[in-house]
Amino acid sequence: MNHEDPVLLHTEGRIRHITLNRPRALNALNHTMVLRMAEALEAAEQDESVAAVLLTGAGERGLCAGGDIRAIRDDALAGGGTARDFWRDEYRLNARIARFPKPYVAIMDGIVMGGGVGVSAHGSVRIVTERSRIAMPETGIGFVPDVGGTYLLGRAPGELGTHLALTGEAVGAADALLCGLADHFVPSRELPGLIAALDVCATPADIVATAQRYAAAAPGGELAAQRDWIDSCYEAGTVEEIVERLADRGAPAAKEASVTILAKSPTSLKVTLEAVRRARRLDSLEAVLDQEFRVSSTAFTRPDIVEGVRAQIVDKDRNPRWNPAGLAEVTEADVARFFAPLGDGELGLGPGAPAAR
């Protein structure tokens, strides 16, 4: 095993370990890592000696902070197409994880955002700790939740997913469990013992039972107590009305949410709301991933993703100049363009979808 590889693979007992290994970049995903993970899952699925896969992240800060958005910005500035190739393979990986026929155990310790959610929250055994901070923060960089994020958030109770999608708010363990983004809370101090116990499991049933045995009650979250205003405000028909309801609600957290939302890309906000609501009506993750690929491909051609990454990651001035600058300037026709079919460029995962070329 080459410890410089961005994805480390080894087997203990009947468990195939996959470790994301870019700790200085908070294990941000690049195309090489996505392809390596896909190959590892293919091999593990075919290998009868492998009972389960275990995903972890190198370093102390988290599993994965998302995709390598700086590289995506560079590609957009150069007028390239490598970002679309990356998303095509990444979304296929997300679908493979969701349909993996053996237990897929994801240790969602520390920071888990964007693409990190995609390689973990579609797994069958998802472990969070008191250090977990899970988010889909794309509206803050002029993008839209992807990697099956709109599928997951669209199926969260009430309007919790809409709240998280628009604000990009990071949640801890209890709220991740409430929203269906995780299955079990395990204190971080217990992770070495859990992993050692998994390594001696003989069957998939043993693996699931072991995860349950180590599970404990998560420390209290925040969203359960906020359901009243979240559900009533975010059920509004437009982003403008959502913001107005939040501002008028009277609850300090609702007012704060309205301010947070107004700092995001107006185009991203409107497309995100539409994407989450359309995702609720689609009957499979694959169909949602097809939709997300259309949205991502269009977002790649728009100015906000370049500007958002500049402001948040490159220059770090936290002062993006969105184009258009206001919600009122983003029309229904503008939003609809993000969902238009791509012809031969479709991802083609969902039933009846055009085959990708």
Side-chain angles (χ1 to χ4, degrees), residues 33-105:
M33 295 167 74
V34 165
L35 295 175
R36 186 80 182 274
M37 284 190 69
E39 291 169 359
L41 289 183
E42 175 69 22
E45 181 174 343
Q46 301 300 322
D47 189 342
E48 294 183 0
S49 71
V50 173
V53 163
L54 175 65
L55 178 71
T56 57
E60 301 296 325
R61 294 189 293 163
L63 173 66
C64 175
D68 190 342
I69 57 176
R70 185 188 290 263
I72 291 171
R73 176 180 185 267
D74 291 345
D75 187 38
L77 286 170
T82 58
R84 291 188 186 89
D85 294 336
F86 167 67
W87 287 324
R88 189 181 297 278
D89 288 325
E90 183 183 25
Y91 299 176
R92 286 172 173 165
L93 174 64
N94 302 145
R96 177 184 283 276
I97 290 168
R99 305 296 178 233
F100 194 66
K102 303 174 183 181
Y104 181 101
V105 184

Side-chain angles (χ1 to χ4, degrees), residues 140-141 307-320:
I141 58 165
E307 173 61 11
V309 177
R310 179 207 65 75
Q312 300 296 333
I313 305 298
V314 180
D315 297 337
K316 299 183 181 180
D317 59 23
R318 307 293 191 267
N319 186 34

Side-chain angles (χ1 to χ4, degrees), residues 225-306:
Q226 298 173 349
R227 278 290 303 276
D228 181 54
W229 65 260
I230 287 176
D231 288 351
S232 63
C233 292
Y234 286 93
E235 69 180 5
T238 66
V239 177
E240 290 94 332
E241 188 178 355
I242 288 171
V243 171
E244 182 178 353
R245 290 188 185 187
L246 289 169
D248 293 343
R249 181 72 184 189
K255 175 65 174 178
E256 183 179 342
S258 73
V259 174
T260 297
I261 290 171
L262 287 174
K264 311 299 184 183
S265 159
T267 300
S268 295
L269 289 169
K270 288 200 170 183
V271 175
T272 294
L273 181 62
E274 180 69 11
V276 170
R277 291 184 171 171
R278 288 189 182 214
R280 288 175 179 164
R281 300 193 295 268
L282 295 172
D283 60 4
S284 70
L285 171 62
E286 287 81 359
V288 174
L289 287 166
D290 283 343
Q291 173 177 280
E292 290 180 347
F293 188 73
R294 296 180 197 114
V295 170
S296 298
S297 295
T298 302
F300 182 71
T301 68
R302 305 294 297 163
D304 276 4
I305 189 169
V306 169

Side-chain angles (χ1 to χ4, degrees), residues 103 125 184 194 197-198 201 203-215:
V125 182
H184 305 295
L194 168 63
L198 290 171
C201 287
T203 68
D206 291 340
I207 290 156
V208 174
T210 297
Q212 293 172 339
R213 189 170 73 249
Y214 274 80

